[in-house]
Amino acid sequence: MRLTRAMSRTCNGANVGTRAAVAGAVLLGMTLGNACGPSPTPHGPTASPPPPNVLLVVLDTTRADALSCYGGPAGATPAIDALAAESTLYRAAYATSFWTLPSHGSMLTGRYPSEAGATSETNHLPEQVTTLAEHLAAEGYRTGAVVRNPWLSAERGFAQGFEHYLEAWRDDDGRSEVAGERAATAAAVEWLRTSIDNVDPFFLFVNLNIAHLPYTPPEEVFHRFSSRDWPTARLARLRAIEGGWAHFAGALPLDAEDFQILRELYTSEVAVADSLVADLLDAVRQPGALDRTLVIVTSDHGENLGEHGLIDHLYSMFDTTVRVPLLIRYPARFTPELEVDEVVSLVDLVPTVLDTCGVLDADDDANAGMLARSLCDGGHGRREAVFAENGRPINGIRLLQRFPDFDVREIDHEMRMIRTDRHKLVWKVGRAAELYDLIADPGETTDRGDVDRELRNELLDSLRLWVAELDTTLRPGRFSSRDHESLQRLRALGYVE
């Protein structure tokens, strides 16, 4: 069965209902027509082009401004910068959550985390949800994935629809993080090279986890981005940080120079990620292959690097953690060298891919509850707002209980976010709602909620309406992993006890 046209009742006039009445004023606005070129017009039944291949690359933990093409450090990402010159680049793309599992759940299903059932409280993607891989496999696509983050394990439901699913964090004993990432990329390159000439189109999903804590770039790369020769012991201490909870609890003090070193280590990790993207792109740069491949490069979330006194990405909905890069290359449908400033959401990737691949069906209402929409919709229903959410951070609560001086009640609640072109409201459910003016205050340093109460209340009402209209009929229980190797890896990343 094919996916519905947008991407929901909010995106076309054929299925007007409660969702459109409640959320339409927030979710829809003027029409744009600039990011997607028109579909080729066939001159007969034999003139339709074959469906494109799809390469989706998720650079885990990579904030938008880490890339040079988004204003990041010069020379850090030459391969991605070159791709950007051939792509539509979205300057205000937002993840649906600030960490891996729920954000990937949205990217791979076209549903917000609580709709997909992939949340901080469930810790998995339920099998009842249809994934992008399942949609494309039903259309005759060969499907493969290479993933480096153990939250994306087959056990947790993320292999649904994939014929080939390589959990590339396994067998990492004895090799460095960089070596593991390079081995995973080599496996993805080999899969691409064996798939390009196949008569059936392919979908390859690649998750690279190099930019995640701990930051352990090769010395030769770090020397390119370090501002001075830092003391060896200090570098070793910062390289060993596995997660942000100790710092969050006040047990790991860091000063301005520590944050500077962490930024330089992180930039070095992103530079390594860029070299891996270069390898993936080289694999599809065979004559004619690249232009018939829909290439998407994005991230699941960003990273704090001293902003607001924070590191890591958990429990933060500042732009440092939810604004992500998004580049889409497919000249037949997406305009090269175009930069889109309007807000877009990663929940839109599924309908965007299916639309580009020609497998959306406007008459099929099977998924009419989706709030996602295609970015290549011809009419470009403009979003006036994007949203993010996170359930109760069960894993974080348990980790913070190790610090007796920290009151875990400070984080024991859900979080929601609404982001318009100018403003952002972050709602700590049952507690405060913080309002930021991102034009006057791009660093989100001043909560204007008490100054502009009318706007705060208006955005809070819109956010509450959005929450009320989410389809949360799927309520899976909390998942308990039995995969010792995956759990051990998650502990090494600072995610679980």
Side-chain angles (χ1 to χ4, degrees), residues 396-398 400-401 403 406-412 431:
I397 290 169
R398 292 177 176 176
L400 284 168
Q401 286 172 343
F403 305 98
F406 184 82
D407 185 355
V408 297
R409 289 176 297 182
E410 290 186 23
I411 71 162
D412 190 4
R431 302 192 179 199

Side-chain angles (χ1 to χ4, degrees), residues 75-140:
T77 54
I80 297 174
D81 297 346
L83 177 68
E86 304 172 350
S87 305
T88 295
L89 182 149
Y90 296 85
R91 291 215 165 269
Y94 281 80
T96 61
S97 191
F98 53 69
W99 72 285
T100 296
L101 186 143
S103 183
H104 276 85
S106 291
M107 282 190 281
L108 296 176
T109 67
R111 297 178 182 272
Y112 287 95
S114 57
E115 292 184 306
T119 71
S120 293
E121 297 174 68
T122 67
N123 278 339
H124 76 296
L125 181 67
E127 64 180 8
Q128 298 95 317
V129 181
T130 304
T131 66
L132 175 59
E134 289 174 308
H135 282 300
L136 291 178
E139 298 292 335

Side-chain angles (χ1 to χ4, degrees), residues 425-428 431-435 447-450 456 460:
L425 185 87
V426 177
W427 178 28
K428 297 175 181 178
R431 302 192 179 199
E434 303 167 5
L435 175 66
D447 176 8
R448 296 186 56 82
D450 289 336
R456 181 193 63 187
L460 185 56

Side-chain angles (χ1 to χ4, degrees), residues 13-28:
N15 297 300
V16 178
T18 302
R19 188 186 299 270
V22 174
V26 174
L27 299 177
L28 292 180

Side-chain angles (χ1 to χ4, degrees), residues 318-357:
F318 296 114
D319 267 17
T320 49
T321 58
V322 291
R323 178 176 170 246
V324 294
L326 177 60
L327 292 75
I328 303 181
R329 187 195 190 282
Y330 186 58
R333 299 293 299 276
F334 287 84
T335 305
E337 296 187 274
L338 177 67
E339 296 187 0
V340 177
D341 293 323
E342 289 76 17
V343 291
V344 299
S345 173
L346 295 191
V347 78
D348 298 330
L349 290 187
V350 167
T352 298
V353 171
L354 296 180
D355 192 1
T356 307
C357 294

Side-chain angles (χ1 to χ4, degrees), residues 217-354:
E219 288 296 332
E220 65 274 15
V221 180
F222 179 61
H223 286 317
R224 289 171 47 201
F225 299 101
S226 60
S227 56
R228 69 180 83 168
D229 291 330
W230 298 103
T232 302
R234 191 173 199 175
L235 269 175
R237 177 175 68 92
L238 296 173
R239 280 174 170 265
I241 296 174
E242 294 178 344
W245 293 116
H247 176 64
F248 191 82
L252 177 64
L254 299 169
D255 61 24
E257 284 197 346
D258 291 327
F259 292 140
Q260 176 65 27
I261 295 170
L262 288 171
R263 284 192 290 271
E264 293 171 1
L265 289 167
Y266 177 79
T267 296
S268 304
E269 301 259 73
V270 172
V272 175
D274 181 77
S275 70
L276 303 179
V277 172
D279 292 342
L280 293 169
L281 294 176
D282 285 346
V284 293
R285 285 194 185 277
Q286 299 180 20
L290 184 58
D291 282 350
R292 56 185 172 89
T293 301
L294 171 64
V295 178
I296 301 173
V297 175
T298 188
S299 177
D300 55 343
H301 56 79
E303 188 81 324
N304 290 305
L305 297 166
E307 298 87 356
H308 309 280
L310 298 172
I311 62 171
D312 207 344
H313 49 274
L314 298 175
Y315 203 69
S316 165
M317 285 192 175
F318 296 114
D319 267 17
T320 49
T321 58
V322 291
R323 178 176 170 246
V324 294
L326 177 60
L327 292 75
I328 303 181
R329 187 195 190 282
Y330 186 58
R333 299 293 299 276
F334 287 84
T335 305
E337 296 187 274
L338 177 67
E339 296 187 0
V340 177
D341 293 323
E342 289 76 17
V343 291
V344 299
S345 173
L346 295 191
V347 78
D348 298 330
L349 290 187
V350 167
T352 298
V353 171
L354 296 180

